Amino acid sequence: MTSATTRGVDRVAKAGEGALAQTGNIVQLFVDVARQLFVRPFQLREFIQQAWFIASVTILPTALIAIPFGAIVSLQTGSLIKQLGAESYTGAASVLVVVQQGSPLVTSLLVAGAAGSAVAADLGSRTIREEIDAMEVLGINPVQRLVVPRVLAMVLVAVLLNGLVAVVGIAGGYFFNVVVQGGTPGAYLASFGALAQLPDLYISTLKAAIFGVLAGVVAAYKGLNPKGGPKGVGDAVNQSVVVTFLLLFFANLIITAVFLQIVPPKVG
C-alpha cells in the first residue's frame, strides 16, 4: 500500500471517528436536556423570550412559503392523478401530502435554518466570551439555564407553525385545484373527507415536535462547542444547519415508515 493510500485511509478513519464522537456527544446532550427538563426552577422568562423570538423570525417566511408550496403540490398531484384517471381523489392526495409530509418538513427546515442558526450563534458567542465557563464556576448548569428553554421554545413554535403551514397550504392547494385546474369543489372536499383520518393530523404534529427537538439540540450542541474563536462560531452555525437538515430527513423517513406500518391508509 502506497503512502498516499495510507494517508487517505487514515483521513477517512479519522473523519469516521470524529463523526461518531459528535453523534455520541449530541445524544449525551439530548439526555442531559431530558434530565434537566424536570429540574426546578424552570426558566419561564427565558422560554417565553426565546419562543417569541423564534416565532418573530419564522412566521412570515413560513406563511410566504406555505402558499406556493400548497400550489405546487396541488398542481403536481392534480396533473399526475389526472393522467391516471382518478381526478376525484385530487383533493385527498394533495391535502394528505401537505399535512403528513410537507407541513412538518417546511416548518422544521425554517425553524432549523432561522431559529437554529440564531441559537447556535448566541450560544457560540457566549462560549467564546467564556460566559458558559463562568456559569459553571458559579454552580449554574448552562443546559438547564439556557438549552432547555431554547429547545422547548423551538418545539412549541414548530408545532404551532406546522398548523399554520397545513392550513395555508391546504387553502392554496384548494384555490389552485378549483380555480386554476378547473376542479370541482365538492369532489375536492369529498375525497379529502373519505381518505383523511385523525392519525394523519397526529403524526404531522408529532413530527413537528420531534423535528423541533432535533433542531434545538443540534443547534445548542454546536453553539456550546465552537472551535477557533469568532470564525469557529460561524462554522458552528453552518454545521448546525447542515447536520439538522440531514437528521430531519432521516427522522422523517423512519417516522413515516413506522406510521404506515401502524396505521394503514384509509380506503375510500
Side-chain angles (χ1 to χ4, degrees), residues 142-201:
V143 174
Q144 193 265 341
R145 178 66 179 79
L146 299 176
V147 177
V148 169
R150 284 163 173 75
V151 172
L152 290 181
M154 293 181 81
V155 172
L156 175 64
V157 174
V159 171
L160 295 178
L161 287 181
N162 179 60
L164 174 65
V165 173
V167 171
V168 175
I170 291 172
Y174 176 85
F175 175 81
F176 276 87
N177 179 261
V178 174
V179 177
V180 178
Q181 294 182 311
T184 305
Y188 189 95
L189 297 176
S191 65
F192 170 58
L195 296 181
Q197 48 189 340
L198 274 179
D200 298 322
L201 182 60

Side-chain angles (χ1 to χ4, degrees), residues 33 35-47 135 139-149 152:
V33 170
R35 293 170 58 187
Q36 295 298 323
L37 186 64
F38 301 100
V39 175
R40 295 296 178 265
F42 177 69
Q43 302 300 322
L44 181 61
R45 184 174 180 179
E46 184 78 13
F47 167 72
M135 292 176 67
I140 301 173
N141 190 325
V143 174
Q144 193 265 341
R145 178 66 179 79
L146 299 176
V147 177
V148 169
L152 290 181

